[in-house]
């Protein structure tokens, strides 16, 4: 496999910015903010990253996010991630953030938003990384809390591409948030949702029918329902698949057993993403390398994954076309 295929221009469409908090930064921010952590060292933090399922990860992820307190903290977090993008040929990124994780502990919404958006602006100007923001609701909290979060965010609506749905999937079906998503769409926002990571195919159907999502985040359990696969293929609904995440959270027991190649062969619009790179062992390049090493992917599959990432992105037709031409040129010389 040519290494230049791994460095094709790509878009990342499934990254939780709070999940890019590396242990080194966690310690630095804790010190800056006068907080103590329940770990002795960076190595001890990394050693704790052994997860049995989504919930066991989320418990540590929400605890880690407590060190994020000031606008500068959110700026530094986002800037560090954007530098990774620039180094790994990620030319466009659509970033999730979880306002409730911060507002519920007293951090004002504008502090979170300003820090992130200033870093995104600098990333565009200084790194050439284009970007957008997706506001996610925490599905383990109530629909009323999600609606209040949306109402508080709407005055800043110009800063968002879309709303999304994350956190504990089981027991919190998309239907719970139908009214919130109706309101977001009425305000002109696009919608996405995590579905079919741990949850059943029925949750993917609900996300499509009730939340009218443009993409499914994860979606790997769609294969359990052939009619659903047919629908996703026919409408080319993108799946933002996160290979290293799926192994770390035990959705698949090892990367060689991941169904990404099968999903591609079914004709689904599959994309590769890092989800929570600081917790799951890697960013875009590490995910690409892992699947390339473990799965029987062809050169064409890698080109298709890069193309899909831009086809699935919330870009203008002109922007999309520009990126697709860059891929065609890069693929032609490999
Ligand atoms: N699934 C659900 N919620 C999340 C995830 C995930 O993979 N990462 C961060 N929040
Ligand atoms: Zn996710």
């Amino acid at each position: 496999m040519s290494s230049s295929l791994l460095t094709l221009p790509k878009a990342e469409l499934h990254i939780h910015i709070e999940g890019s908090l590396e242990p080194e930064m966690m310690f630095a921010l804790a010190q800056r903010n006068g907080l103590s952590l329940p770990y002795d060292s960076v190595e001890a933090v990394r050693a704790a990253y052994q997860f049995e399922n989504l919930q066991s990860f989320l418990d540590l992820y929400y605890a880690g996010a407590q060190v994020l307190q000031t606008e500068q903290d959110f700026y530094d977090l986002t800037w560090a991630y954007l530098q990774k993008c620039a180094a790994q040929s990620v030319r466009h990124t659509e970033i999730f953030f979880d306002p409730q994780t911060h507002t519920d502990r007293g951090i004002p919404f504008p502090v979170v938003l300003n820090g992130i958006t200033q870093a995104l602006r600098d990333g565009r100007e200084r790194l050439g990384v284009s970007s957008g923001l997706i506001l996610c609701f925490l599905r383990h909290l109530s629909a009323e809390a999600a609606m209040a979060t949306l109402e508080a965010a709407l005055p800043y609506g110009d800063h968002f591409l879309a709303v999304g749905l994350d956190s504990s999937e089981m027991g919190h079906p998309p239907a719970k948030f139908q009214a919130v998503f109706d309101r977001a769409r009425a305000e002109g926002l696009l919608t996405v949702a995590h579905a079919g990571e741990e949850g059943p195919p029925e949750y993917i159907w609900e996300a499509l029918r009730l939340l009218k999502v443009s993409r499914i985040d994860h979606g790997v359990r769609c294969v359990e329902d052939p009619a659903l696969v047919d629908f996703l293929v026919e409408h080319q609904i993108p799946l933002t698949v996160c290979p290293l995440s799926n192994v770390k959270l035990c959705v698949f027991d090892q990367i060689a057993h991941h169904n990404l190649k099968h999903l591609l062969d079914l004709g689904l619009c599959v994309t590769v993403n890092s989800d929570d790179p600081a917790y799951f062992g890697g960013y875009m390049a590490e995910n690409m390398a892992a699947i390339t090493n473990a799965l029987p992917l062809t050169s064409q599959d890698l080109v298709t994954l890069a193309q899909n990432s831009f086809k699935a992105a919330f870009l203008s037709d002109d922007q999309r076309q520009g990126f697709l031409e860059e891929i065609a040129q890069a693929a032609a010389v490999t």
Side-chain angles (χ1 to χ4, degrees), residues 9 19 53 124 150 166 169 179 217 243 258 280 282 284 291 299 308 332:
N53 52 32
R124 278 189 285 274
L150 177 62
D166 65 2
E169 187 178 5
D217 296 313
H258 198 286
F280 298 152
M284 177 65 89
I291 57 171
S299 299
N308 285 350

Side-chain angles (χ1 to χ4, degrees), residues 116-155:
I116 297 174
T117 54
Q118 284 172 31
L120 296 183
R121 187 198 58 209
D122 287 352
R124 278 189 285 274
E125 289 175 4
R126 291 163 53 189
L127 302 172
V129 177
S130 97
S131 56
L133 258 187
I134 300 176
L135 183 158
C136 279
F137 304 110
L138 298 182
R139 69 203 300 163
H140 69 276
L141 301 178
S142 69
E144 291 72 26
M147 190 65 99
T149 301
L150 177 62
E151 296 294 352
L154 281 176

Side-chain angles (χ1 to χ4, degrees), residues 39 47 52 64 70 73 78 86 104 106 110 116 120 151 156 178 234 247 254 258 263 268 280 293-294 309 317-318:
Y39 304 101
E52 286 141 42
T70 67
D73 297 343
T78 308
D104 284 4
I116 297 174
L120 296 183
E151 296 294 352
Y156 310 90
Q178 186 171 358
E234 183 186 343
V247 175
Q254 53 176 289
H258 198 286
L263 298 173
L268 288 154
F280 298 152
N293 291 334
S309 73
D317 288 344
D318 279 357

Side-chain angles (χ1 to χ4, degrees), residues 50-66:
Q50 308 290 336
F51 309 116
E52 286 141 42
N53 52 32
L54 175 59
Q55 192 59 50
S56 64
F57 154 70
L58 290 170
D59 294 342
L60 284 194
Y61 164 83
Y62 294 128
Q66 312 269 327

Side-chain angles (χ1 to χ4, degrees), residues 167-227:
S167 192
S168 322
E169 187 178 5
M170 296 303 283
H172 301 287
K176 177 176 164 186
F177 295 94
Q178 186 171 358
V180 182
F181 275 60
D182 280 348
R183 173 105 173 88
R185 285 198 324 284
E187 292 292 332
L189 291 166
L190 296 166
T191 62
V192 298
H194 284 53
E197 177 186 18
E198 289 188 340
E202 185 51 40
Y203 284 18
I204 301 178
W205 280 122
E206 279 188 18
L208 294 165
R209 289 175 172 154
L210 304 183
L211 307 188
K212 307 200 189 313
V213 296
S214 304
R215 305 193 292 246
I216 297 288
D217 296 313
H218 292 296
V220 291
R221 286 194 60 190
C222 71
V223 290
E224 296 167 35
D225 181 342

Side-chain angles (χ1 to χ4, degrees), residues 18-93:
E18 296 90 346
S20 71
L21 178 64
E22 292 285 349
E24 288 80 0
M25 187 176 287
M26 197 187 288
F27 269 89
L29 296 186
Q31 192 174 26
R32 189 156 95 186
N33 293 324
L35 303 167
S36 60
L37 291 173
Y39 304 101
D40 290 337
S41 65
V42 162
E43 293 70 35
V45 180
R46 285 220 163 78
Y49 291 173
Q50 308 290 336
F51 309 116
E52 286 141 42
N53 52 32
L54 175 59
Q55 192 59 50
S56 64
F57 154 70
L58 290 170
D59 294 342
L60 284 194
Y61 164 83
Y62 294 128
Q66 312 269 327
V67 302
L68 296 162
Q69 301 210 331
T70 67
E71 206 169 291
Q72 187 69 44
D73 297 343
F74 287 95
Y75 181 97
D76 291 350
L77 176 74
T78 308
W79 181 249
Y81 164 68
L82 291 169
Q83 286 181 300
K84 279 282 184 188
C85 290
Q88 297 195 342
S89 312
V90 174
R91 303 290 311 282
H92 174 76
T93 179

